[in-house]
Amino acid sequence: MVSRVIPVDPFDLIIFGGTGDLARRKILPGLFRRFCAGQIPSETEIIGAGRSEIGQQGYREFVASAIHEFSKREECSICGLNEFLELLDYISLDAQGERGWADLAARLHPGRLRAFYFSVGPSLFGDLAERLAGGGLTDAGSRIVVEKPFGHDLESAQALNAALAARFNERQIYRIDHYLGKETVQNLMAVRFGNMLFEPLWNSQYVDHIQITVAERVGVAGRAAFYEKAGAMRDMVQNHLMQLLCLIAMEPPAKFEPDTVRDEKLKVIRALDPVEPHHIVRGQYTAAEGVASYREDVDNPRSRTESFIALKCHLSNWRWAGTPFYLRTGKRLRARDSQITVVFKDAPHSIFGPEAGRHRNELRIKLQPDEGITLKVTIKDPGPGGMRLVDVPLDMSFAEALGSDADAPDAYERLIMDVIRGNQTLFMRDDEVEAAWAWTDPVIRGWESRGDAPKPYDAYSAGPDDAAMLIRRDGREWREIGS
Ligand code: NAP
């Protein structure tokens, strides 16, 4: 099934940090794909900005090489790469100085939508907002896109929000969490709110528990300095896992509109109980299978930063009271695997007797590597003899059901085009970000004040044994990573 493409009007997109890693790997290849798909008109202007003096030609070469490296080969040959490069310009400017700003102002087209992508460290967000709005480069329709990390605690997030709010109103600010741009994450809403089947069962009366796992095989090399200060709680739980939790647990919004959806997500975060210290397991990977330990990767033999976290939490609201949510994320785990599993309760009575064993329905939502949704149902084991039961998956792999995903936009493409179309549904609002930090901060402060050290776990394992015990104590098991 080929995705429907609705072209947008020509726009000006300025990428601060246009020579950075994120621009190279995600933003520019994503824009190229949308151009190839016919969504971005050729009058559009994309301006990379950074301090380096590489000039327009140098930037076009940089972008061409990024596209060759990070786009599928066939895309580069079938689509007009040269035509895309024509859209590109580069301006050397300093976010914290005078240099380059007049050049940028001269390049912008009057009357066009302007989007400014802050693909730079958060310490520059305030300067950029000030220079843009103070220098008259924006109007009421202009938009800014900001990247994570959005603060490292509540106080810093509030300060960032205040710095942006001083110059832009909330409707102009797009805080990216690329997990929300994934096809399956949106499908989660479609499955929940487009079907009659699930919603009546979506509560503590029928759901035993919910597991959210975001496992990565990669270590922290390449991001060591940043990660050592952040850890898994700040880097993953406060944003990505929290957003997934919101989507799985929220009430049906009245409409699929930015503020109605975000209002419901906010209510979920505010309903989260504080996490009990004995419901958290922090881990740190050790050397195994030929890869270095976390401490070697960050070059700190005494590091106490966690590269893994597993926790159990509860929501104090009518729908979910009593249903545990188990969250788990980490680096150097057995497989790259992001999934949410909704485990339903046992049938109230088994007519097949105890020998039929325990069978539970499960809805599994896979985010990566292969996006899809599976419903596990119980049927009779085929063949003669007694009534034996087996669990089989009703599989909805998107690649199979909806054709090749080659045409489907990836998360960044979708989100950038949402910015241009002015749709904030999949972006975090200021109060959501702050509520997530307000829940995360005491957890972090708790282990800092106790001086807790993370538990070691072998690289490429499923994490520390204590994480298995966290859920096993409750008579449950994690779904296997990579299954
Ligand atoms: P990066 O590779 O270090 O690039 C930083 C960019 O900012 C460069 O283009 C740099 O260009 C520019 N820059 C730095 N100081 C500047 C200044 N004073 N004025 C103007 N430009 C300046 O960083 P990145 O990995 O692309 O990450 C950018 C942001 O996205 C960060 O906040 C990061 O946490 C976030 N993020 C990154 C990823 C990722 O996969 N990389 C994923 C999620 C979020 P010059 O040196 O030429 O000035």
Side-chain angles (χ1 to χ4, degrees):
M1 196 181 290
V2 177
S3 40
R4 201 157 52 99
V5 172
I6 302 171
V8 296
D9 290 336
F11 56 91
D12 288 348
L13 172 67
I14 299 83
I15 309 171
F16 296 108
T19 53
D21 179 64
L22 183 66
R24 201 169 66 88
R25 287 192 307 109
K26 293 289 181 187
I27 303 171
L28 291 157
L31 287 164
F32 173 60
R33 285 194 82 201
R34 289 295 91 204
F35 178 74
C36 295
Q39 198 162 20
I40 297 182
S42 51
E43 299 82 17
T44 293
E45 179 115 11
I46 298 170
I47 302 173
R51 288 165 304 180
S52 318
E53 311 242 5
I54 56 173
Q56 185 194 61
Q57 192 49 34
Y59 193 55
R60 289 182 177 178
E61 285 163 20
F62 166 84
V63 176
S65 108
I67 287 169
H68 280 297
E69 193 175 347
F70 295 104
S71 299
K72 296 186 189 111
R73 188 172 306 159
E74 60 276 20
E75 283 167 7
C76 300
S77 54
I78 51 174
C79 176
L81 178 55
N82 287 334
E83 289 158 39
F84 177 70
L85 296 179
E86 290 287 310
L87 271 52
L88 298 171
D89 203 349
Y90 179 82
I91 287 182
S92 170
L93 60 70
D94 188 348
Q96 296 174 303
E98 296 301 323
R99 183 163 62 87
W101 288 95
D103 295 345
L104 177 58
R107 290 310 312 245
L108 299 175
H109 295 82
R112 262 196 200 178
L113 170 71
R114 294 173 184 177
F116 299 93
Y117 200 128
F118 292 10
S119 183
V120 292
S123 60
L124 297 179
F125 289 0
D127 292 307
L128 288 175
E130 194 58 42
R131 295 255 162 212
L132 286 172
L137 276 72
T138 56
D139 57 31
S142 301
R143 290 154 202 175
I144 59 169
V145 185
V146 293
E147 268 294 338
K148 80 163 214 184
F150 203 80
H152 56 270
D153 58 12
L154 176 59
E155 200 183 334
S156 56
Q158 284 171 330
L160 277 179
N161 277 335
L164 298 182
R167 287 304 193 170
F168 294 91
N169 76 49
E170 187 56 31
R171 295 216 175 279
Q172 298 178 284
I173 304 170
Y174 291 71
R175 294 176 194 78
I176 281 208
D177 182 328
H178 70 272
Y179 267 63
L180 295 182
K182 288 183 183 290
E183 186 73 14
T184 319
V185 170
Q186 291 162 77
N187 239 315
L188 178 56
M189 287 189 272
V191 165
R192 277 198 63 192
F193 305 129
N195 294 287
M196 193 55 204
L197 198 60
F198 298 110
E199 198 48 31
L201 306 178
W202 211 262
N203 56 55
S204 59
Q205 199 183 338
Y206 296 102
V207 173
D208 178 74
H209 74 280
I210 293 176
Q211 304 188 5
I212 302 177
T213 293
V214 177
E216 297 177 279
R217 248 181 100 75
V218 293
V220 296
R223 299 175 69 211
F226 163 76
Y227 198 92
E228 174 64 358
K229 282 201 218 121
M233 190 74 178
R234 289 188 173 96
D235 189 44
M236 297 297 291
V237 178
Q238 185 273 343
N239 38 62
H240 303 318
L241 276 83
M242 191 64 55
Q243 289 294 320
L244 298 179
L245 172 70
C246 286
L247 294 175
I248 205 96
M250 72 183 186
E251 294 300 316
K255 288 191 174 145
F256 189 58
E257 286 179 353
D259 278 332
T260 47
V261 171
R262 298 188 296 178
D263 287 347
E264 296 305 335
K265 284 163 58 195
L266 179 63
K267 285 185 209 162
V268 173
I269 305 175
R270 291 192 171 153
L272 271 167
D273 289 343
V275 185
E276 305 277 341
H278 62 284
H279 289 164
I280 304 170
V281 176
R282 297 167 67 233
Q284 193 184 69
Y285 61 83
T286 55
E289 297 196 32
V291 295
S293 68
Y294 176 84
R295 289 179 174 188
E296 288 165 315
D297 279 347
V298 299
D299 198 17
N300 177 4
R302 301 157 80 87
S303 170
R304 287 183 161 234
T305 302
E306 78 284 356
S307 60
F308 173 97
I309 201 143
L311 62 85
K312 176 166 86 159
C313 56
H314 285 96
L315 288 167
S316 276
N317 63 18
W318 197 293
R319 185 187 285 263
W320 293 117
T323 305
F325 288 74
Y326 298 93
L327 275 47
R328 172 176 63 161
T329 182
K331 302 244 174 231
R332 281 275 186 258
L333 292 176
R334 186 169 292 150
R336 177 170 172 257
D337 181 8
S338 299
Q339 54 170 287
I340 305 170
T341 309
V342 180
V343 182
F344 290 89
K345 288 188 173 169
D346 292 340
H349 166 68
S350 170
I351 63 167
F352 305 109
E355 60 279 7
R358 188 181 203 187
H359 297 274
R360 286 177 155 184
N361 297 123
E362 275 184 26
L363 185 73
R364 187 174 307 186
I365 300 119
K366 270 275 222 187
L367 279 86
Q368 58 191 24
D370 305 309
E371 296 193 44
I373 297 183
T374 306
L375 179 65
K376 201 173 85 180
V377 293
T378 303
I379 60 163
K380 178 186 169 297
D381 196 5
M387 179 63 101
R388 293 180 303 272
L389 303 183
V390 285
D391 296 328
V392 292
L394 283 181
D395 218 331
M396 196 178 107
S397 147
F398 296 149
E400 278 171 28
L402 305 176
S404 152
D405 70 346
D407 297 321
D410 96 342
Y412 271 93
E413 288 172 54
R414 181 190 316 277
L415 294 172
I416 294 169
M417 295 320 292
D418 278 358
V419 173
I420 303 303
R421 281 190 298 252
N423 184 350
Q424 288 185 305
T425 310
L426 300 175
F427 297 83
M428 293 178 293
R429 209 169 52 191
D430 52 356
D431 48 6
E432 267 184 88
V433 173
E434 291 181 17
W437 279 121
W439 179 78
T440 314
D441 272 3
V443 181
I444 297 173
R445 272 202 305 272
W447 72 57
E448 281 175 353
S449 66
R450 291 189 301 275
D452 293 353
K455 310 275 181 201
Y457 65 94
D458 283 351
Y460 302 135
S461 69
D465 294 342
D466 287 24
M469 285 313 298
L470 173 77
I471 187 165
R472 202 168 286 154
R473 275 201 303 259
D474 298 339
R476 303 178 175 108
E477 291 289 338
W478 290 108
R479 296 303 169 261
E480 211 169 295
I481 293 174
S483 62

